[in-house]
Amino acid sequence: MPTYTAPVKDLQFVLHDMLNVSNADIPGYSDLEADFTSAVLEEAGKLTGEVLSPLNVVGDHEGCRLENGVVYTPTGFKNAFEQVKEGGWTGLDMPEEYGGQNMPQVLGTAVGEMFSASNQAFTMYQGLTHGAAAAILAHGTDEQKNKWLPKMVSCEWTGTMNLTEPHCGTDLGLMRTKAEPQDNGTYKISGQKIFISAGDHDMADNIVHLVLAKVPGGPQGIKGVSLFIVPKFLVDDEGNIGARNGVTVGSIEEKMGIHGNSTCVLNYDDAEGYLIGDLNKGMRAMFTMMNEARLGVGMQGLAQAEVAYQNALAYAKDRLQGRAVTGVENPDGPADPLIVHPDIRRSLMDQKSFVEGARAFILWGATMLDEAHRKGDKDADGLISLLTPVIKGFLTDEGYDMTVKAQQVYGGHGYIEEWGMSQFTRDARIAMIYEGANGVQALDLVGRKLAADGGKHVMAFFELVKSFCKENGEDEALKDFVGPLKQASKDLQAAGMYFMQAGMKNPNDALSGSNDFMHLFGHVCLGLMWAQMAKAANAALASGAEDKDFYETKLTTGRYYMARRLPATGMHLARIQSGGDTVMALAADQF
């Protein structure tokens, strides 16, 4: 059975050596001393490694079951959820006034990686609750916050987001779910929602659904959508649970992966709901959840790649197959371990360099969210808005690919369920689809985010890269990082220039290259992360850091990324500059 060990040392390196969080000018960051974050991460590591990870395969094999209208989670999930709640993990970065610990999001993100890597299906129950609570926190009235948030923060009650219907996914303007206003200020919600993760289960006393619906007589399309709080059980003014509301589970979806999460079809039949935010402004409120969720989904791509890599590495060191081409390395055995072979090394280095670069990227993104929310920094908010589709799309595409590479290390055993590697691939696959399919993320990046605020934020990103290269260009120890980063950034700028010149004349020329642009941008971001990590590692070595091998390994891994992975920017640029003619050439009936 696969195992998982939390990468505490590497998380600490990014938080303190690279990001230097405890000295950052962000409210709450002064509390993030290395001893404190280490204690939090070590404790989370124990819980995820000893409790959640062993349940991952249980959830995959058992799945959830619907019996007489009640959804039951896999064996052990309910007890594990109690341990998670008792430890206060569900409210780590939520406000203290509602029972949270008010820690910065960067720490919550570091802990979140461990939870997702150890058991993604399980972690979604609390993750979706966090997103729903964030939407209520941002758009709810004081009365709504006081009524719903304390028990959602503690996960006594969990939450969901209800967007998709059978006939509409991305195009939510087509939704049919209705919200009929009542004389007492409530609404009667009727309709069907599908693909609702954690839609029903036996681990919480109540489930608070956030449901998009249309009030009759409102504007057509997406402008007529509103957001409603619709609980599974009604709650009185004192917070006591009452009668069952008009929401039922039609079925549990049969899925490729994340079997331990109850993905439900939910039927609403005159269910009582409460408007959250302004009428006909539901998408604005929902996007509070969506943006946070997209960062969390990007983290799922990283997390599944991490746990798959850990197991592939262990297998490569243990499995004896063939002899090294340069001579026998295991003379006492019948063969050498897999890890002596160059192609296995290439695969493992692809995985390792991605995982560590992606980890830095996610945590850097979390610091921008903290700057935006805790300082009101509009520039940070603009930059993370630009990078959100890159984090979501690039990291989940690449994360999935890395789970496939990890599975491949096992050869035929990777395809056999006994070894458990297929679960990481199957679980990672959904991250490319939900919370906005990756093709949509790419279109959003090119069609909206690049030009936002007159292109101010993408120019700020270019300036970040330019400044780093200028400041460190004469540092001989960083020459393997600065040169490739500079070239990759030029490729990104050239792609942006092509969009400006060709895309204005023919939008298909730009949109046909959107996926390549998202990946090009992602590689540049990871190149920047590796350059910054290399600088931090060199500084640690120069100061006489104890674990010399850790920092030298970090530099070697970074050089691999810059030499073997970052040159992909040239390929993506060539594809972009080929335009849209070949993409759009066939008529629909010629396919």
Side-chain angles (χ1 to χ4, degrees), residues 368-389:
M368 284 184 265
L369 285 173
D370 282 329
E371 281 188 284
H373 296 155
R374 289 172 173 254
K375 288 181 66 177
D377 190 320
K378 295 189 182 300
D379 289 337
D381 187 56
L383 185 54
I384 191 56
S385 293
L386 168 71
L387 295 177
T388 291

Side-chain angles (χ1 to χ4, degrees), residues 61 189 200 204 222 225 239 243 315 358 485:
H61 289 171
I189 312 296
D200 198 83
I222 199 68
V225 172
Y315 188 83
L485 176 60

Side-chain angles (χ1 to χ4, degrees), residues 304-323:
Q304 293 307 299
E306 164 68 29
V307 65
Y309 164 70
Q310 286 188 19
N311 286 278
L313 175 61
Y315 188 83
K317 290 180 176 180
D318 182 67
R319 175 76 169 178
L320 301 182
Q321 290 282 286
R323 291 294 189 185

Side-chain angles (χ1 to χ4, degrees), residues 460-518:
F461 177 82
F462 288 140
E463 187 57 37
L464 274 175
V465 177
K466 181 181 177 181
S467 296
F468 181 91
C469 292
K470 185 176 181 180
E471 291 168 9
N472 300 283
E474 302 303 316
D475 188 342
E476 187 66 19
L478 289 177
K479 69 176 183 178
D480 293 337
F481 295 86
V482 172
L485 176 60
K486 190 181 294 185
Q487 180 56 53
S489 182
K490 288 180 180 178
D491 289 343
L492 184 62
Q493 292 178 64
M497 187 62 68
Y498 174 82
F499 288 156
M500 288 180 62
Q501 294 171 346
M504 294 294 288
K505 299 174 185 176
N506 181 4
N508 283 336
D509 282 338
L511 298 184
S512 294
S514 60
N515 187 270
D516 279 290
F517 186 81
M518 180 177 73

Side-chain angles (χ1 to χ4, degrees), residues 100-397:
Q101 298 176 51
N102 203 35
M103 288 290 109
Q105 187 152 349
V106 71
L107 184 59
T109 300
V111 169
E113 182 200 324
M114 299 182 187
F115 276 85
S116 287
S118 64
N119 196 325
Q120 180 174 315
F122 175 92
T123 300
M124 288 169 64
Y125 291 99
Q126 67 204 60
L128 286 154
T129 306
H130 190 284
I136 296 173
L137 185 65
H139 299 282
T141 64
D142 287 343
E143 181 182 359
Q144 288 172 334
K145 294 175 191 177
N146 291 330
K147 183 172 186 175
W148 304 105
L149 287 181
K151 291 191 177 181
M152 292 179 72
V153 168
S154 68
C155 272
E156 291 176 71
W157 300 347
T158 59
T160 71
M161 57 176 81
N162 284 229
L163 294 82
T164 309
E165 299 181 11
H167 56 281
C168 70
T170 300
D171 190 356
L172 292 171
L174 298 175
M175 72 174 55
R176 297 172 185 159
T177 301
K178 291 183 179 181
E180 296 278 358
Q182 305 298 300
D183 292 340
N184 63 359
T186 65
Y187 292 79
K188 291 295 184 184
I189 312 296
S190 296
Q192 185 180 76
K193 297 290 184 177
I194 64 171
F195 305 160
I196 308 306
S197 301
D200 198 83
H201 56 87
D202 58 350
M203 300 192 299
D205 296 331
N206 203 357
I207 301 175
V208 182
H209 303 293
L210 294 196
V211 183
L212 286 177
K214 289 183 174 180
V215 176
Q220 293 296 309
I222 199 68
K223 293 182 179 179
V225 172
S226 300
L227 184 63
F228 300 88
I229 297 172
V230 187
K232 177 180 177 179
F233 292 99
L234 299 175
V235 178
D236 66 22
D237 292 339
E238 283 71 47
N240 301 308
I241 290 177
R244 177 72 184 255
N245 205 357
V247 52
T248 57
V249 181
S251 63
I252 298 176
E253 306 280 13
E254 293 286 339
K255 308 186 298 293
M256 175 180 175
I258 56 169
H259 295 151
N261 194 269
S262 53
T263 308
C264 298
V265 173
L266 293 181
N267 297 317
Y268 292 88
D269 184 11
D270 283 341
E272 184 168 301
Y274 319 101
L275 179 68
I276 177 171
D278 297 326
L279 192 65
N280 302 322
K281 301 292 184 183
M283 288 309 299
R284 183 176 66 180
M286 184 61 85
F287 268 106
T288 300
M289 299 164 64
M290 293 293 284
N291 287 335
E292 177 185 316
R294 284 168 179 165
L295 292 170
V297 172
M299 182 176 65
Q300 290 177 357
L302 153 66
Q304 293 307 299
E306 164 68 29
V307 65
Y309 164 70
Q310 286 188 19
N311 286 278
L313 175 61
Y315 188 83
K317 290 180 176 180
D318 182 67
R319 175 76 169 178
L320 301 182
Q321 290 282 286
R323 291 294 189 185
V325 294
T326 52
V328 174
E329 295 197 17
N330 179 33
D332 296 329
D336 291 331
L338 279 172
I339 201 166
V340 306
H341 303 301
D343 194 59
I344 294 292
R345 289 291 191 102
R346 172 200 56 79
S347 175
L348 292 172
M349 287 299 288
D350 279 355
Q351 296 168 55
K352 180 176 174 63
S353 63
F354 166 75
V355 162
E356 293 179 18
R359 177 172 296 123
F361 189 19
I362 285 279
L363 291 175
W364 177 48
T367 65
M368 284 184 265
L369 285 173
D370 282 329
E371 281 188 284
H373 296 155
R374 289 172 173 254
K375 288 181 66 177
D377 190 320
K378 295 189 182 300
D379 289 337
D381 187 56
L383 185 54
I384 191 56
S385 293
L386 168 71
L387 295 177
T388 291
V390 182
I391 290 172
K392 196 282 183 185
F394 177 70
L395 295 190
T396 58
D397 277 352

